[in-house]
Amino acid sequence: MSKVSSTRLKMIRNFEVAPEKVFDAWLKPEMMGKWFFTLEGTNKVTRNNPQVGGTWEIIDHRGGQDYRAIGEYLELDSPKKIKLTFKMPEMSDLEDTITVELKELEQGCEMTFTQLIHVAQESNWTDSEIEKALDEMRDGTEVGWNYMFMGLEELVETGEVSYKG
């Protein structure tokens, strides 16, 4: 087993809806299947057991290939906090941890998203190569979440995601 290095991605988003609505979008399969790792038009499977120790699974089909994401709920405090694991088993044995914290604002809510990202490193990598790999993984992950959070915002604020895949 190669060594593993970690980096943290933190993103903050504001929504013009109550925290309960955003909390539900993270947990209800009919909402998850429209934005979380998938789109309504490409989603094949959305399974969810939203309780501590419960698991979730999403299978997205794009470009003739299935992409699978799985995880387990570590903490649920409605409507304030969700902590879960995130893993793509076909791509890596490593499992990230995601924490979503929701805070009610005078108008709407603020979501603080944090992902602890793990990256396997080659045994001969230098410190600068490790740092470069972590930066690339964090930056690429942030791009993906930016797209997903656009869909999340549209879903919770309008009820639909216009891009279906």
Side-chain angles (χ1 to χ4, degrees), residues 106-133:
E106 210 167 281
Q107 213 164 13
C109 69
E110 176 183 271
M111 178 183 78
T112 301
F113 169 91
T114 308
Q115 183 171 354
L116 181 60
I117 302 167
H118 302 293
V119 178
Q121 62 189 59
E122 301 296 324
S123 58
N124 60 343
W125 279 4
T126 64
D127 287 348
S128 65
E129 289 172 320
I130 294 167
E131 193 171 319
K132 182 177 186 259

mmCIF file of all heavy atoms in Angstrom, residues 106-133:
data_model
loop_
_atom_site.group_PDB
_atom_site.id
_atom_site.type_symbol
_atom_site.label_atom_id
_atom_site.label_comp_id
_atom_site.label_asym_id
_atom_site.label_seq_id
_atom_site.Cartn_x
_atom_site.Cartn_y
_atom_site.Cartn_z
ATOM 1 N N GLU A 106 -30.561 35.580 8.046
ATOM 2 C CA GLU A 106 -31.777 36.397 8.060
ATOM 3 C C GLU A 106 -32.642 36.092 6.839
ATOM 4 O O GLU A 106 -33.855 36.021 6.915
ATOM 5 C CB GLU A 106 -31.399 37.884 8.089
ATOM 6 C CG GLU A 106 -32.426 38.726 8.808
ATOM 7 C CD GLU A 106 -31.889 40.110 9.089
ATOM 8 O OE1 GLU A 106 -31.107 40.247 10.055
ATOM 9 O OE2 GLU A 106 -32.255 41.034 8.341
ATOM 10 N N GLN A 107 -31.970 35.903 5.713
ATOM 11 C CA GLN A 107 -32.663 35.502 4.491
ATOM 12 C C GLN A 107 -31.950 34.289 3.911
ATOM 13 O O GLN A 107 -30.848 34.406 3.378
ATOM 14 C CB GLN A 107 -32.668 36.653 3.488
ATOM 15 C CG GLN A 107 -33.907 36.674 2.658
ATOM 16 C CD GLN A 107 -34.074 38.017 1.953
ATOM 17 O OE1 GLN A 107 -33.167 38.828 1.896
ATOM 18 N NE2 GLN A 107 -35.241 38.236 1.409
ATOM 19 N N GLY A 108 -32.523 33.122 4.083
ATOM 20 C CA GLY A 108 -31.930 31.914 3.545
ATOM 21 C C GLY A 108 -30.976 31.237 4.511
ATOM 22 O O GLY A 108 -31.160 31.277 5.724
ATOM 23 N N CYS A 109 -29.928 30.614 3.943
ATOM 24 C CA CYS A 109 -28.962 29.908 4.774
ATOM 25 C C CYS A 109 -27.591 29.903 4.124
ATOM 26 O O CYS A 109 -27.446 30.153 2.928
ATOM 27 C CB CYS A 109 -29.432 28.474 5.054
ATOM 28 S SG CYS A 109 -29.409 27.378 3.616
ATOM 29 N N GLU A 110 -26.611 29.575 4.939
ATOM 30 C CA GLU A 110 -25.241 29.439 4.484
ATOM 31 C C GLU A 110 -24.831 27.986 4.659
ATOM 32 O O GLU A 110 -25.055 27.396 5.712
ATOM 33 C CB GLU A 110 -24.332 30.335 5.310
ATOM 34 C CG GLU A 110 -22.850 30.199 4.965
ATOM 35 C CD GLU A 110 -21.990 31.050 5.870
ATOM 36 O OE1 GLU A 110 -21.762 32.226 5.519
ATOM 37 O OE2 GLU A 110 -21.565 30.539 6.938
ATOM 38 N N MET A 111 -24.234 27.426 3.611
ATOM 39 C CA MET A 111 -23.721 26.064 3.666
ATOM 40 C C MET A 111 -22.194 26.125 3.648
ATOM 41 O O MET A 111 -21.601 26.708 2.746
ATOM 42 C CB MET A 111 -24.208 25.255 2.454
ATOM 43 C CG MET A 111 -23.659 23.830 2.420
ATOM 44 S SD MET A 111 -24.165 22.900 0.945
ATOM 45 C CE MET A 111 -23.042 23.558 -0.301
ATOM 46 N N THR A 112 -21.583 25.520 4.647
ATOM 47 C CA THR A 112 -20.131 25.357 4.659
ATOM 48 C C THR A 112 -19.844 23.890 4.367
ATOM 49 O O THR A 112 -20.276 23.003 5.107
ATOM 50 C CB THR A 112 -19.524 25.769 6.017
ATOM 51 O OG1 THR A 112 -19.868 27.137 6.268
ATOM 52 C CG2 THR A 112 -18.015 25.624 6.002
ATOM 53 N N PHE A 113 -19.169 23.667 3.257
ATOM 54 C CA PHE A 113 -18.846 22.327 2.774
ATOM 55 C C PHE A 113 -17.348 22.106 2.969
ATOM 56 O O PHE A 113 -16.535 22.929 2.547
ATOM 57 C CB PHE A 113 -19.199 22.250 1.282
ATOM 58 C CG PHE A 113 -18.683 21.009 0.595
ATOM 59 C CD1 PHE A 113 -19.455 19.872 0.527
ATOM 60 C CD2 PHE A 113 -17.425 21.011 0.008
ATOM 61 C CE1 PHE A 113 -18.980 18.731 -0.113
ATOM 62 C CE2 PHE A 113 -16.935 19.880 -0.635
ATOM 63 C CZ PHE A 113 -17.725 18.748 -0.695
ATOM 64 N N THR A 114 -16.989 21.015 3.622
ATOM 65 C CA THR A 114 -15.580 20.684 3.811
ATOM 66 C C THR A 114 -15.370 19.231 3.398
ATOM 67 O O THR A 114 -16.118 18.351 3.813
ATOM 68 C CB THR A 114 -15.163 20.866 5.290
ATOM 69 O OG1 THR A 114 -15.553 22.169 5.727
ATOM 70 C CG2 THR A 114 -13.671 20.708 5.456
ATOM 71 N N GLN A 115 -14.360 19.003 2.582
ATOM 72 C CA GLN A 115 -14.024 17.640 2.174
ATOM 73 C C GLN A 115 -12.565 17.377 2.510
ATOM 74 O O GLN A 115 -11.677 18.126 2.100
ATOM 75 C CB GLN A 115 -14.254 17.440 0.672
ATOM 76 C CG GLN A 115 -13.973 16.010 0.217
ATOM 77 C CD GLN A 115 -14.395 15.754 -1.218
ATOM 78 O OE1 GLN A 115 -14.996 16.597 -1.878
ATOM 79 N NE2 GLN A 115 -14.071 14.576 -1.716
ATOM 80 N N LEU A 116 -12.345 16.328 3.279
ATOM 81 C CA LEU A 116 -10.994 15.851 3.548
ATOM 82 C C LEU A 116 -10.666 14.870 2.430
ATOM 83 O O LEU A 116 -11.269 13.794 2.338
ATOM 84 C CB LEU A 116 -10.903 15.181 4.921
ATOM 85 C CG LEU A 116 -9.520 14.675 5.319
ATOM 86 C CD1 LEU A 116 -8.506 15.811 5.368
ATOM 87 C CD2 LEU A 116 -9.583 13.951 6.657
ATOM 88 N N ILE A 117 -9.750 15.275 1.555
ATOM 89 C CA ILE A 117 -9.419 14.524 0.352
ATOM 90 C C ILE A 117 -8.117 13.757 0.575
ATOM 91 O O ILE A 117 -7.117 14.339 0.989
ATOM 92 C CB ILE A 117 -9.252 15.479 -0.851
ATOM 93 C CG1 ILE A 117 -10.529 16.298 -1.074
ATOM 94 C CG2 ILE A 117 -8.854 14.711 -2.101
ATOM 95 C CD1 ILE A 117 -10.346 17.467 -2.024
ATOM 96 N N HIS A 118 -8.147 12.472 0.275
ATOM 97 C CA HIS A 118 -6.959 11.626 0.419
ATOM 98 C C HIS A 118 -6.417 11.271 -0.965
ATOM 99 O O HIS A 118 -7.181 10.937 -1.868
ATOM 100 C CB HIS A 118 -7.297 10.345 1.175
ATOM 101 C CG HIS A 118 -7.877 10.614 2.534
ATOM 102 N ND1 HIS A 118 -7.148 11.183 3.550
ATOM 103 C CD2 HIS A 118 -9.114 10.414 3.032
ATOM 104 C CE1 HIS A 118 -7.904 11.299 4.620
ATOM 105 N NE2 HIS A 118 -9.108 10.845 4.326
ATOM 106 N N VAL A 119 -5.097 11.333 -1.094
ATOM 107 C CA VAL A 119 -4.439 11.042 -2.359
ATOM 108 C C VAL A 119 -3.320 10.033 -2.104
ATOM 109 O O VAL A 119 -2.474 10.255 -1.235
ATOM 110 C CB VAL A 119 -3.845 12.336 -2.982
ATOM 111 C CG1 VAL A 119 -3.114 12.020 -4.279
ATOM 112 C CG2 VAL A 119 -4.937 13.377 -3.220
ATOM 113 N N ALA A 120 -3.355 8.944 -2.858
ATOM 114 C CA ALA A 120 -2.269 7.957 -2.764
ATOM 115 C C ALA A 120 -1.043 8.526 -3.463
ATOM 116 O O ALA A 120 -1.161 9.117 -4.537
ATOM 117 C CB ALA A 120 -2.693 6.650 -3.418
ATOM 118 N N GLN A 121 0.100 8.360 -2.842
ATOM 119 C CA GLN A 121 1.319 8.882 -3.456
ATOM 120 C C GLN A 121 2.257 7.738 -3.819
ATOM 121 O O GLN A 121 2.245 6.685 -3.187
ATOM 122 C CB GLN A 121 2.003 9.884 -2.527
ATOM 123 C CG GLN A 121 2.451 9.288 -1.205
ATOM 124 C CD GLN A 121 2.930 10.338 -0.233
ATOM 125 O OE1 GLN A 121 2.197 11.243 0.124
ATOM 126 N NE2 GLN A 121 4.172 10.201 0.198
ATOM 127 N N GLU A 122 3.027 7.960 -4.848
ATOM 128 C CA GLU A 122 4.036 6.986 -5.251
ATOM 129 C C GLU A 122 5.206 7.060 -4.269
ATOM 130 O O GLU A 122 5.515 8.123 -3.725
ATOM 131 C CB GLU A 122 4.518 7.285 -6.677
ATOM 132 C CG GLU A 122 3.413 7.251 -7.726
ATOM 133 C CD GLU A 122 2.794 5.889 -7.897
ATOM 134 O OE1 GLU A 122 3.522 4.879 -7.804
ATOM 135 O OE2 GLU A 122 1.575 5.824 -8.119
ATOM 136 N N SER A 123 5.877 5.947 -4.070
ATOM 137 C CA SER A 123 6.952 5.879 -3.066
ATOM 138 C C SER A 123 8.134 6.790 -3.406
ATOM 139 O O SER A 123 8.838 7.251 -2.526
ATOM 140 C CB SER A 123 7.428 4.442 -2.890
ATOM 141 O OG SER A 123 7.886 3.934 -4.125
ATOM 142 N N ASN A 124 8.330 7.089 -4.683
ATOM 143 C CA ASN A 124 9.494 7.892 -5.080
ATOM 144 C C ASN A 124 9.167 9.384 -5.240
ATOM 145 O O ASN A 124 9.997 10.158 -5.692
ATOM 146 C CB ASN A 124 10.091 7.347 -6.379
ATOM 147 C CG ASN A 124 9.101 7.385 -7.533
ATOM 148 O OD1 ASN A 124 7.898 7.512 -7.339
ATOM 149 N ND2 ASN A 124 9.623 7.256 -8.748
ATOM 150 N N TRP A 125 7.952 9.801 -4.875
ATOM 151 C CA TRP A 125 7.582 11.213 -5.039
ATOM 152 C C TRP A 125 8.343 12.099 -4.071
ATOM 153 O O TRP A 125 8.530 11.751 -2.900
ATOM 154 C CB TRP A 125 6.087 11.403 -4.802
ATOM 155 C CG TRP A 125 5.240 11.044 -5.983
ATOM 156 C CD1 TRP A 125 5.629 10.513 -7.170
ATOM 157 C CD2 TRP A 125 3.825 11.193 -6.060
ATOM 158 N NE1 TRP A 125 4.545 10.315 -7.983
ATOM 159 C CE2 TRP A 125 3.430 10.727 -7.327
ATOM 160 C CE3 TRP A 125 2.856 11.665 -5.173
ATOM 161 C CZ2 TRP A 125 2.104 10.733 -7.747
ATOM 162 C CZ3 TRP A 125 1.533 11.666 -5.587
ATOM 163 C CH2 TRP A 125 1.157 11.203 -6.868
ATOM 164 N N THR A 126 8.718 13.254 -4.570
ATOM 165 C CA THR A 126 9.339 14.273 -3.716
ATOM 166 C C THR A 126 8.225 15.062 -3.014
ATOM 167 O O THR A 126 7.051 14.960 -3.387
ATOM 168 C CB THR A 126 10.173 15.253 -4.559
ATOM 169 O OG1 THR A 126 9.287 15.953 -5.448
ATOM 170 C CG2 THR A 126 11.258 14.527 -5.357
ATOM 171 N N ASP A 127 8.602 15.869 -2.036
ATOM 172 C CA ASP A 127 7.613 16.706 -1.344
ATOM 173 C C ASP A 127 6.879 17.617 -2.314
ATOM 174 O O ASP A 127 5.668 17.812 -2.206
ATOM 175 C CB ASP A 127 8.284 17.556 -0.253
ATOM 176 C CG ASP A 127 8.695 16.714 0.956
ATOM 177 O OD1 ASP A 127 8.254 15.543 1.049
ATOM 178 O OD2 ASP A 127 9.439 17.231 1.802
ATOM 179 N N SER A 128 7.597 18.167 -3.293
ATOM 180 C CA SER A 128 6.936 19.071 -4.248
ATOM 181 C C SER A 128 5.972 18.306 -5.156
ATOM 182 O O SER A 128 4.925 18.829 -5.543
ATOM 183 C CB SER A 128 7.963 19.861 -5.063
ATOM 184 O OG SER A 128 8.726 19.013 -5.878
ATOM 185 N N GLU A 129 6.303 17.059 -5.495
ATOM 186 C CA GLU A 129 5.381 16.245 -6.305
ATOM 187 C C GLU A 129 4.126 15.893 -5.506
ATOM 188 O O GLU A 129 3.023 15.876 -6.059
ATOM 189 C CB GLU A 129 6.076 14.970 -6.791
ATOM 190 C CG GLU A 129 7.118 15.240 -7.860
ATOM 191 C CD GLU A 129 7.949 14.016 -8.201
ATOM 192 O OE1 GLU A 129 8.320 13.258 -7.272
ATOM 193 O OE2 GLU A 129 8.237 13.821 -9.396
ATOM 194 N N ILE A 130 4.293 15.617 -4.219
ATOM 195 C CA ILE A 130 3.140 15.335 -3.355
ATOM 196 C C ILE A 130 2.252 16.571 -3.274
ATOM 197 O O ILE A 130 1.032 16.491 -3.449
ATOM 198 C CB ILE A 130 3.600 14.901 -1.944
ATOM 199 C CG1 ILE A 130 4.326 13.556 -2.022
ATOM 200 C CG2 ILE A 130 2.422 14.838 -0.974
ATOM 201 C CD1 ILE A 130 5.094 13.194 -0.758
ATOM 202 N N GLU A 131 2.875 17.727 -3.047
ATOM 203 C CA GLU A 131 2.119 18.981 -2.951
ATOM 204 C C GLU A 131 1.379 19.287 -4.255
ATOM 205 O O GLU A 131 0.220 19.686 -4.250
ATOM 206 C CB GLU A 131 3.077 20.124 -2.605
ATOM 207 C CG GLU A 131 2.350 21.383 -2.172
ATOM 208 C CD GLU A 131 3.296 22.435 -1.628
ATOM 209 O OE1 GLU A 131 4.235 22.071 -0.889
ATOM 210 O OE2 GLU A 131 3.084 23.612 -1.950
ATOM 211 N N LYS A 132 2.046 19.041 -5.383
ATOM 212 C CA LYS A 132 1.420 19.270 -6.698
ATOM 213 C C LYS A 132 0.211 18.341 -6.883
ATOM 214 O O LYS A 132 -0.848 18.769 -7.338
ATOM 215 C CB LYS A 132 2.446 19.039 -7.807
ATOM 216 C CG LYS A 132 1.910 19.285 -9.205
ATOM 217 C CD LYS A 132 3.023 19.114 -10.239
ATOM 218 C CE LYS A 132 2.552 19.499 -11.611
ATOM 219 N NZ LYS A 132 2.208 18.366 -12.449
ATOM 220 N N ALA A 133 0.350 17.079 -6.518
ATOM 221 C CA ALA A 133 -0.755 16.120 -6.657
ATOM 222 C C ALA A 133 -1.929 16.521 -5.771
ATOM 223 O O ALA A 133 -3.088 16.451 -6.199
ATOM 224 C CB ALA A 133 -0.273 14.710 -6.304
#
